[in-house]
Amino acid sequence: LGLVPKIQIRFTSSSEVIESINKSFIKKILYNLKFFYVKELVLINSCTYDVFKKTKIEIKEDQIVLLDTFFLNPDIVAFGANPSKEKIEKHYYFLNKLINNLSTMYKKKIVVCIHPKDNLKLKKKYFPNLDVVQYETRKNIYKAFLVLFIETSSIVDAILLKKRILTLFSNFFSKTINNFGQDFAARAGLLQINIENELKTDKNIFLSKLDKAKGGYSNYIKSFIAPDGSNIGCEKIIKILKERFF
């Protein structure tokens, strides 16, 4: 309504945002009349896609990578998702048991990647016998035989690379934390497992299920990671800004 300044351009990697406008007669009219909070929406490929196209990180299958949850993230805590010490200890007991079983099953070492703002010293206590690293998430995903996670946007790198992915669910964490990972699972067709469940299936059958799940990645990639063909997102942003304002 013109009461506050509008954003000139919003660059988005979500084709759903554009499609929701094009599919709605009312939204399309409002958008054309500049009634949205942003004057123009421009579809671009994601940062994940740009890194993949512009860097030369070698892709391997050497290890099992756990993208550990930053459960003390202020944003998560603000939503009342702060687990008790007892729940955290139980969570890591079952999580260690699960990932060590996977390590034995597939004869692959485990690398635990933590959030840049997480407490490295604390996390090493929760994973006493494993390699715990910080600021090395993308590099380790590129080397992954299998990637496990509960909630982290870093999983999009694994989806783009079409790595085997296992979404974990923990009864010791809140719905806020679990729902984030389940949303990825639903949209990309990822396999899910509760950390308390024992893997009693044949390792080859389980591997086959993980490989089969990759079939759902393509739609997710086209919708949220690389919806703009082969264009480099950052280059398109520069091009558009030059055209509009310089």
Side-chain angles (χ1 to χ4, degrees):
L1 298 176
L3 300 177
V4 293
K6 293 182 183 293
I7 297 171
Q8 290 291 326
I9 300 176
R10 178 190 172 190
F11 295 96
T12 177
S13 298
S14 173
S15 62
E16 283 189 353
V17 174
I18 309 296
E19 290 171 2
S20 68
I21 295 173
N22 293 331
K23 290 179 180 179
S24 170
F25 178 72
I26 295 175
K27 284 184 179 180
K28 189 179 291 185
I29 291 177
L30 293 174
Y31 177 67
N32 290 332
L33 293 175
K34 309 299 181 184
F35 277 113
F36 278 20
Y37 73 96
V38 59
K39 292 182 180 180
E40 183 181 4
L41 287 161
V42 176
L43 190 67
I44 61 169
N45 286 331
S46 67
C47 177
T48 297
Y49 177 81
D50 287 2
V51 171
F52 173 71
K53 294 294 288 187
K54 294 174 76 70
T55 61
K56 296 181 180 179
I57 304 176
E58 191 175 1
I59 301 173
K60 298 181 180 180
E61 291 195 347
D62 294 341
Q63 58 201 24
I64 294 174
V65 176
L66 170 66
L67 307 180
D68 192 45
T69 302
F70 182 24
F71 57 83
L72 294 179
N73 186 325
D75 294 333
I76 294 176
V77 173
F79 281 98
N82 192 9
S84 66
K85 182 179 179 180
E86 182 183 2
K87 285 187 176 181
I88 290 171
E89 289 177 352
K90 286 183 178 179
H91 165 80
Y92 281 106
Y93 166 78
F94 285 107
L95 181 57
N96 272 285
K97 185 177 179 181
L98 174 64
I99 60 179
N100 280 303
N101 284 343
L102 286 167
S103 178
T104 300
M105 185 183 295
Y106 294 111
K107 294 180 173 55
K108 301 285 184 180
K109 70 172 184 177
I110 301 286
V111 177
V112 180
C113 298
I114 68 171
H115 191 277
K117 294 183 179 180
D118 210 337
N119 187 323
L120 180 59
K121 186 177 180 180
L122 176 64
K123 287 302 174 74
K124 284 185 175 181
K125 289 182 179 180
Y126 288 135
F127 300 102
N129 303 312
L130 302 176
D131 290 336
V132 182
V133 299
Q134 200 167 24
Y135 313 114
E136 299 178 14
T137 299
R138 176 168 282 134
K139 180 181 75 174
N140 280 287
I141 288 175
Y142 273 62
K143 296 177 181 178
F145 165 80
L146 169 64
V147 181
L148 304 98
F149 83 111
I150 290 182
E151 66 81 36
T152 175
S153 57
S154 294
I155 198 64
V156 295
D157 285 273
I159 295 174
L160 177 61
L161 295 171
K162 295 191 174 180
K163 294 286 186 175
R164 300 178 187 93
I165 302 172
L166 185 58
T167 310
L168 306 179
F169 181 90
S170 175
N171 290 321
F172 308 106
F173 283 161
S174 70
K175 287 184 178 180
T176 302
I177 294 177
N178 284 303
N179 286 347
F180 194 83
Q182 289 184 311
D183 183 62
F184 275 112
R187 288 173 179 266
L190 309 179
L191 208 62
Q192 300 181 69
I193 188 172
N194 190 308
I195 62 170
E196 296 175 72
N197 293 347
E198 292 188 18
L199 289 173
K200 296 181 179 179
T201 184
D202 178 83
K203 68 176 185 179
N204 294 321
I205 293 175
F206 189 63
L207 197 66
S208 177
K209 289 180 179 179
L210 289 166
D211 286 331
K212 186 177 180 181
K214 294 180 185 179
Y217 295 7
S218 296
N219 288 335
Y220 187 90
I221 293 169
K222 290 178 182 178
S223 297
F224 302 104
I225 302 177
D228 191 36
S230 59
N231 295 312
I232 302 297
C234 60
E235 293 177 356
K236 186 172 181 179
I237 290 174
I238 294 170
K239 179 176 179 291
I240 294 293
L241 292 180
K242 284 183 176 180
E243 290 175 351
R244 301 288 193 278
F245 306 107
F246 299 98

